[in-house]
Amino acid sequence: MEGTSIAIEIDGEAICLDSVGDDEQEAQENGEMQQIIYSAENGEQLAFNNQEQGREEEPTGNEEDREHSSIIPSREELTEELRNKTAYSEEEAYRLYCDYGHRMGFSVRKGKQYYFTGTKTIRTKDYYCSKEGLKDDEQLTEANFNKPETRTNCKAMVRFRVDSEGQWRVIQIIPEHNHELVRPEEIHLLRSVRTLSVPKPGVLNAMVNAEIQAMHGSLHINEDGAECHSQLSIRSYTLLEPEDCEALVGYFKRRANEQGMFYWDVEVDQEGRMANFFWRDGRSRIDYDSFGDVVMFDTSHRTNKYNMICAPFVGVNQHRQNVMFGCAFLLDESPASYEWLFKSFLEAMGGHPPKTIFTDQNESISKVIEDVLPGTRHCLCQRFIEKNLQSYLGTISDSGTFHSMLSKCMRECESEAEFDEAWAMMHHEYNMQKHQWLNDLYQQRHKWCTALHKDAFDGGIESLDRNEGSNNVLSSIDDESTSLATVVHELDKTVGIWRKNESLEDIQCNQAAPECTVKHTRILQHAAEVYTHKVYKSLEKYFLDGCGATSYQEVQCDETLYRLEFILQRSGPKVWVVFLNTSTLDLSCSCKKFETMGVLCSHALNALSLKNVDRIPEKYILKRWTKYVRKGTYPFPVDGFAEQDHSYALMYRNTAMRFVYDLLMKSKSHQNTRKLILDVLESGEKSLESVCELKRLHMHPLGKEKDGNRVEKRKKKSTKQEKHSSISSFTLHSILVMQRLSLIV
């Protein structure tokens, strides 16, 4: 069987992922931890970090080779040097051409071989440039549609002949390539240049265990995960098939070409193998600007094929629906992998961390969040905790009484004292001293008990319906043969459905008023005008629940400050205290509903109604829950910055790009909206040219002397256009576009 190689393209250059010959040998490059960031908002490669990049590589040849290694020969000299080389095995011949390719700037794959008649002894062997040949049309099936075409029918090759003494000599070289060679600073990416015969998994494990034993005197793996990461790095070589890596990278590159704001990032392990992936599209970046205050990071699903963690970053939008911020494939759960991922996520979102992040109970994640997201409140998702009960508690988790008691501890307590009482009852009932997991859970109670993190904004993300969540989708499409690219493609389809549902809700909110159960309450009428239908209905429900209070007591603290106690008699009396300043309309409630949900509670709404306040104060209307959440998302100051301020210029560019991208996405589905956007852009371009021309005239006053009348007329015309069609006019046009879009859509 002819040898094959798998390659990806990075900025137009081909990089060989693997080389597989007739004996199924695999190529591996030695090196330290590397990171390739392939993404910016334009899809370019941003950086490549390699701790050993500057280190001289030890030559594998003889003493004469070492002497020549300090001199940079020409390409003709390199070719002639290869022509005069002699090898004594197939592997050594392959190494010679790989070394030649490394120095020239191309990757190598194994080619055809011919045998002596009647034997299995090789007579001649060919090695090709990795871009040799072309794929046949019949090979481009649906199964490999997302593999990038990297071959250019390059004819560069070398042919070795084996003589009777077993010496491999070069008998033919074609040095010319029909494509660009890799630049010198990218040569270290060529992974076919230094080969390593990888032992079988059992030998690998023995090697790893022997090394750990030598270092520690036992098989103990220390807490920081360093040795574990080293072992996983070696195994990652055998886990991820090159075809899957190629297909996934091809899919990402194609998305980046289609969408200017698509971002993707890859981490490479110590053996040069792709290990961890993160990606998000342009719409996710736009959504994060509006809804990135709370994030659910879900690591509960693993792909069946490689047992990789598939970890989506999910938020909640203005209609209380799922919204995708990005997703990752992780090879392991080491602190290093999570640190890389959170840093990549933070970079993809412009360096803006969320207010709150919900995760599973994981020590590595907790530590990394403290380091990478120090200002973010970390909470444990109650749903993940309940999902883990069977794994940690066994038969106890089957008890309905236990579930009820744990649920009360999680969600139904109003104070820390009430929680302590409920936990003590459960502790006594089930003798929980025996269960270390529950004791560890108690130590982290401030991260998951509702009564103990009322100051953490959650947006109700834990109460969302997860039937259409990413995990459900992954479970339905993932099996042993599902490639990573297919998983990504199916996730994208699911996210497309989420976004379609959001659009449908937007239309309903723009075209009709919500169904109101309470008809004649002015404060609710105001809420119906500003909030989306889903949020209004929950607010109305809070209001009706507040009406169930059998009594309230009012105390005037000073001239404008009131203290109102609302007493609810259901299942035992509960008291909530609201402080309201009728002058400033500042208010607070002991239930902390606004702090956690971003909408006023029933107690606060009733307090406002009792004091004849018929509108919700603007300071308590969170824009993320309103119908106009997408409007005016990108305001930035135009004054107070020096013209040469680089940081301001960068902020302006990034903000304007997201603004225009958002408008284009909103307008792409209808001919009228597309024409509207193009007309506005054309008008803005003319206005901008007028302003620039006027500025040029001010910078070159000598032009007035050459043609005073003409320049004066142009100046007057430009001044007039500046007044009516300046940059601020373009902003006005954008606002009009948003209004007209809402009517057309």
Side-chain angles (χ1 to χ4, degrees), residues 238-427:
T238 60
L239 278 175
L240 297 184
E241 296 177 3
E243 292 87 349
D244 264 353
C245 290
E246 179 194 26
L248 186 58
V249 169
Y251 185 79
F252 288 158
K253 286 185 71 68
R254 195 161 56 251
R255 290 290 304 277
N257 291 333
E258 294 169 356
Q259 299 182 9
M261 290 179 61
F262 189 90
Y263 179 104
W264 58 291
D265 193 356
V266 177
E267 187 182 36
V268 181
D269 67 14
Q270 291 179 341
E271 281 66 45
R273 299 290 167 178
M274 293 185 180
N276 299 323
F277 303 84
F278 170 76
W279 71 96
R280 62 111 177 112
D281 63 9
R283 173 64 184 274
S284 292
R285 180 67 178 89
I286 300 298
D287 289 339
Y288 190 82
D289 285 336
S290 298
F291 312 115
D293 43 14
V294 58
V295 173
M296 178 78 72
F297 178 58
D298 187 352
T299 56
S300 61
H301 185 83
R302 288 180 178 263
T303 63
N304 287 331
K305 187 171 185 180
Y306 297 112
N307 199 36
M308 293 185 77
I309 301 166
C310 183
F313 292 84
V314 179
V316 54
N317 67 12
Q318 75 273 33
H319 304 296
R320 296 182 51 76
Q321 299 168 320
N322 292 319
V323 58
M324 180 70 78
F325 296 141
C327 194
F329 288 134
L330 298 178
L331 197 63
D332 59 31
E333 294 189 89
S334 65
S337 291
Y338 284 125
E339 181 179 1
W340 168 84
L341 175 58
F342 282 115
K343 286 182 177 179
S344 184
F345 175 79
L346 198 59
E347 181 178 347
M349 299 307 177
H352 302 297
K355 292 181 180 178
T356 311
I357 185 168
F358 285 83
T359 73
D360 200 353
Q361 186 181 2
N362 184 293
E363 186 176 349
S364 296
I365 294 177
S366 298
K367 183 178 183 303
V368 169
I369 289 177
E370 290 179 5
D371 296 337
V372 180
L373 305 173
T376 298
R377 182 67 178 269
H378 180 208
C379 297
L380 300 182
C381 180
Q382 296 171 349
R383 181 168 54 89
F384 294 158
I385 292 174
E386 292 174 330
K387 190 174 180 180
N388 292 331
L389 291 178
Q390 179 64 40
S391 301
Y392 289 102
L393 300 182
T395 56
I396 292 181
S397 64
D398 297 332
S399 169
T401 303
F402 175 79
H403 275 278
S404 298
M405 298 179 78
L406 181 61
S407 179
K408 180 178 180 179
C409 293
M410 286 182 173
R411 305 177 180 91
E412 300 173 21
C413 297
E414 294 293 335
S415 65
E416 186 167 4
E418 188 177 352
F419 166 80
D420 288 337
E421 181 182 352
W423 186 269
M425 290 178 61
M426 186 173 69
H427 192 282

Side-chain angles (χ1 to χ4, degrees), residues 27-31 34 188-191 193-194 270-272:
Q28 179 183 21
E29 180 180 12
N30 296 322
Q34 302 168 341
H188 58 280
L189 293 173
L190 298 174
R191 301 170 61 182
V193 296
R194 296 189 302 272
Q270 291 179 341
E271 281 66 45

Side-chain angles (χ1 to χ4, degrees), residues 290 510 623 627-635 659 662 666 735 738-740 742-743:
S290 298
N510 290 329
K623 188 178 179 182
K627 300 175 182 178
Y628 49 82
V629 59
R630 303 267 187 195
K631 298 181 181 179
T633 306
Y634 310 104
F659 189 15
D662 194 21
K666 289 177 179 177
I735 295 173
M738 300 294 293
Q739 294 174 343
R740 294 173 66 182
S742 64
L743 294 176

Side-chain angles (χ1 to χ4, degrees), residues 141-158:
T141 62
E142 183 177 356
N144 61 4
F145 77 98
N146 47 12
K147 295 182 180 179
E149 176 57 73
T150 59
R151 299 192 187 183
T152 63
N153 202 24
C154 181
K155 301 298 184 183
M157 56 85 68
V158 65

Side-chain angles (χ1 to χ4, degrees), residues 382-657:
Q382 296 171 349
R383 181 168 54 89
F384 294 158
I385 292 174
E386 292 174 330
K387 190 174 180 180
N388 292 331
L389 291 178
Q390 179 64 40
S391 301
Y392 289 102
L393 300 182
T395 56
I396 292 181
S397 64
D398 297 332
S399 169
T401 303
F402 175 79
H403 275 278
S404 298
M405 298 179 78
L406 181 61
S407 179
K408 180 178 180 179
C409 293
M410 286 182 173
R411 305 177 180 91
E412 300 173 21
C413 297
E414 294 293 335
S415 65
E416 186 167 4
E418 188 177 352
F419 166 80
D420 288 337
E421 181 182 352
W423 186 269
M425 290 178 61
M426 186 173 69
H427 192 282
H428 175 73
E429 180 73 20
Y430 291 95
N431 192 21
M432 292 191 304
Q433 294 93 334
K434 298 180 180 179
H435 302 288
Q436 184 59 42
W437 179 75
L438 281 175
N439 292 328
D440 293 341
L441 194 64
Y442 179 78
Q443 296 301 320
Q444 302 181 71
R445 59 192 180 280
H446 288 86
K447 290 186 176 182
W448 53 265
C449 174
T450 303
L452 304 183
H453 60 69
K454 288 185 176 182
D455 56 335
F457 179 80
D458 62 32
I461 195 169
E462 289 201 272
S463 61
L464 292 184
D465 182 10
R466 295 293 173 181
N467 290 331
E468 295 183 356
S470 54
N471 265 6
N472 189 52
V473 175
L474 289 168
S475 300
S476 65
I477 59 102
D478 191 20
D479 57 38
E480 294 292 342
S481 62
T482 304
S483 68
L484 297 179
T486 301
V487 175
V488 174
H489 184 63
E490 293 298 325
L491 277 173
D492 285 346
K493 287 164 59 176
T494 300
V495 173
I497 295 173
W498 291 359
R499 291 168 180 171
K500 182 179 179 180
N501 292 337
E502 179 184 344
S503 298
L504 294 174
E505 286 289 341
D506 285 340
I507 294 173
Q508 289 294 323
C509 290
N510 290 329
Q511 293 185 348
E515 296 182 4
C516 300
T517 304
V518 182
K519 303 291 186 181
H520 305 293
T521 303
R522 289 187 177 182
I523 198 166
L524 289 184
Q525 290 174 353
H526 178 227
E529 294 172 4
V530 296
Y531 288 121
T532 61
H533 291 184
K534 290 285 181 67
V535 175
Y536 169 77
K537 293 303 291 183
S538 64
L539 192 74
E540 186 181 58
K541 182 179 181 298
Y542 298 153
F543 184 82
L544 291 174
D545 287 343
C547 293
T550 56
S551 62
Y552 77 94
Q553 296 177 358
E554 177 182 319
V555 177
Q556 186 169 0
C557 302
D558 59 29
E559 186 177 351
T560 59
L561 181 63
Y562 293 86
R563 182 180 189 274
L564 298 96
E565 291 185 0
F566 292 90
I567 305 170
L568 185 66
Q569 295 294 345
R570 294 181 197 162
S571 63
K574 289 186 177 182
V575 179
W576 293 276
V577 180
V578 176
F579 286 93
L580 172 62
N581 188 315
T582 55
S583 175
T584 62
L585 293 183
D586 290 333
L587 58 82
S588 65
C589 180
S590 59
C591 76
K592 301 291 185 181
K593 174 70 73 175
F594 180 78
E595 285 78 1
T596 57
M597 278 292 298
V599 293
L600 291 179
C601 60
S602 60
H603 325 113
L605 292 173
N606 276 281
L608 290 172
S609 296
L610 289 170
K611 291 303 171 184
N612 298 317
V613 179
D614 57 7
R615 296 176 66 86
I616 300 174
E618 287 295 325
K619 66 182 76 174
Y620 298 111
I621 299 177
L622 222 58
K623 188 178 179 182
R624 66 151 10 261
W625 299 124
T626 64
K627 300 175 182 178
Y628 49 82
V629 59
R630 303 267 187 195
K631 298 181 181 179
T633 306
Y634 310 104
F636 49 89
V638 295
D639 299 320
F641 291 89
E643 280 196 31
Q644 304 303 321
D645 188 339
H646 176 72
S647 61
Y648 172 70
L650 187 63
M651 180 182 71
Y652 164 78
R653 186 199 69 180
N654 293 337
T655 303
M657 283 178 61

